[in-house]
Amino acid sequence: MCEEVAEDVVLSMMDKRSLYQRLTTSIFALVISLLLCCVTDVRTFKVVDLTHELSDTTIYWPGNPQYNFSILARGQGSSFWYESNYVAQAEHGGTHVDAPAHFYEGAWRTHQIPMERLTGPAVIIDVKEKARSNPDYRVQVSDVEDWESVNGRIPDNAVVVMNSGWGYKYPNKTAVFGTSTPEVPSTFHFPAWHHDTVMWLINKRFVYMIGVDTPSTDYGQSTEFPTHVVLAKYNVIGLENVANLDRLPVSGSRLFAAVIKTKDGSGGPARLFATISTEERECTATGCRQGSNLSVLTLVID
């Protein structure tokens, strides 16, 4: 009797151990499946460059030193080619980031900006028609609400960028500043954000960054720069002279602002770019699919 009971117990333990091992293996396979599905393969998205190149045509606000590029070495040595250059420039020129410290004491300087605040879902607000008829146009809350009526609610932590069509004027300084006297700020005419709209986006949509395809997040005729002040006060990053916005969808891309990490900086040149997914993926407990037909990975449980 005891031997039969002992045998039953052993067999039961073996069954449970086998079941446990199979269950553990299945769970592990499921986790790997979902991870592989959620990590975007480089072949499933394209990258759009949103940056104007740095050169002697780079546009700076009046009063800033111009771009300085000097060749230190360029030529063939005894066994290899060698190049090295000297580059000097002001922080706020061309495609660049405004750190909050730019307009608010005690706010983040460039090296203090958390990395996660330099990326987010891109939201492109198209005001090209309004800017064409009014170069002093400022993006209104109604423009944002119109965007949401078509595309849905702006996601939290987004990067919201005005597309006024100004990017095509760059690097023509008189066209970008909207004046025949680009050294005189009081004559500037270009569109940007209304500070009330920015405040609305900060309070109601919790944005990470606000951008423009013009030289300033405040419009050309501004003298007090209230949009800059609001952005800085709430540690929201500013992006200026953003390029190639017509190459992005109005929603569905992700923007990255790779600013140079300058200690105590108030901003700096940045390589802005966005990624756009080229394939949709669907993940379930039985595997992942791209589009509607292609099975990427299937989980098989014995």
Side-chain angles (χ1 to χ4, degrees), residues 177-253:
F177 284 123
T179 177
S180 60
T181 54
E183 302 306 320
V184 184
S186 63
T187 66
F188 289 176
H189 294 279
F190 56 80
W193 288 91
H194 195 289
H195 60 277
D196 288 342
T197 308
V198 168
M199 195 72 253
W200 187 92
L201 287 167
I202 292 171
N203 286 332
K204 296 184 180 296
R205 295 299 180 265
F206 316 109
V207 295
Y208 273 0
M209 292 187 275
I210 293 285
V212 291
D213 55 351
T214 56
S216 171
T217 50
D218 280 288
Y219 79 128
Q221 284 291 290
S222 180
T223 57
E224 299 296 327
F225 305 102
T227 298
H228 276 82
V229 173
V230 168
L231 290 173
K233 180 178 180 179
Y234 293 95
N235 275 329
V236 176
I237 313 306
L239 307 174
E240 295 174 337
N241 291 313
V242 183
N244 300 323
L245 287 172
D246 282 341
R247 295 177 58 190
L248 294 184
V250 295
S251 66
S253 65

Side-chain angles (χ1 to χ4, degrees), residues 123 147-156 203-206:
V123 170
W147 187 97
E148 291 193 327
S149 70
V150 175
N151 302 284
R153 187 183 189 278
I154 291 174
D156 291 351
N203 286 332
K204 296 184 180 296
R205 295 299 180 265
F206 316 109

Side-chain angles (χ1 to χ4, degrees), residues 94-112:
T95 303
H96 69 280
V97 160
D98 281 355
H102 186 36
F103 267 80
Y104 203 81
E105 185 179 8
W108 290 331
R109 293 193 170 112
T110 309
H111 74 283
Q112 297 169 320

Side-chain angles (χ1 to χ4, degrees), residues 41-198:
D41 187 278
V42 294
R43 294 168 296 179
T44 65
F45 66 84
K46 65 178 180 179
V47 179
V48 177
D49 189 358
L50 304 176
T51 312
H52 295 296
E53 67 181 16
L54 289 172
S55 71
D56 56 6
T57 65
T58 294
I59 293 178
Y60 297 89
W61 201 263
N64 285 286
Q66 295 300 297
Y67 179 74
N68 181 350
F69 178 93
S70 302
I71 298 174
L72 300 180
R74 180 176 295 180
Q76 182 65 42
S78 58
S79 59
F80 55 84
W81 178 271
Y82 180 72
E83 295 190 14
S84 180
N85 308 296
Y86 170 83
V87 178
Q89 66 161 72
E91 292 175 318
H92 301 277
T95 303
H96 69 280
V97 160
D98 281 355
H102 186 36
F103 267 80
Y104 203 81
E105 185 179 8
W108 290 331
R109 293 193 170 112
T110 309
H111 74 283
Q112 297 169 320
I113 300 173
M115 284 295 291
E116 61 269 19
R117 299 298 293 265
L118 294 171
T119 182
V123 170
I124 311 301
I125 307 294
D126 189 326
V127 295
K128 289 195 290 289
E129 289 300 321
K130 295 175 180 178
R132 187 174 294 115
S133 60
N134 177 16
D136 295 320
Y137 187 75
R138 291 180 286 174
V139 181
Q140 305 294 306
V141 172
S142 59
D143 294 315
V144 179
E145 292 174 334
D146 289 345
W147 187 97
E148 291 193 327
S149 70
V150 175
N151 302 284
R153 187 183 189 278
I154 291 174
D156 291 351
N157 309 330
V159 184
V160 186
V161 185
M162 175 195 76
N163 182 3
S164 67
W166 236 248
Y168 291 105
K169 300 175 185 288
Y170 198 96
N172 184 323
K173 187 178 292 189
T174 58
V176 168
F177 284 123
T179 177
S180 60
T181 54
E183 302 306 320
V184 184
S186 63
T187 66
F188 289 176
H189 294 279
F190 56 80
W193 288 91
H194 195 289
H195 60 277
D196 288 342
T197 308
V198 168

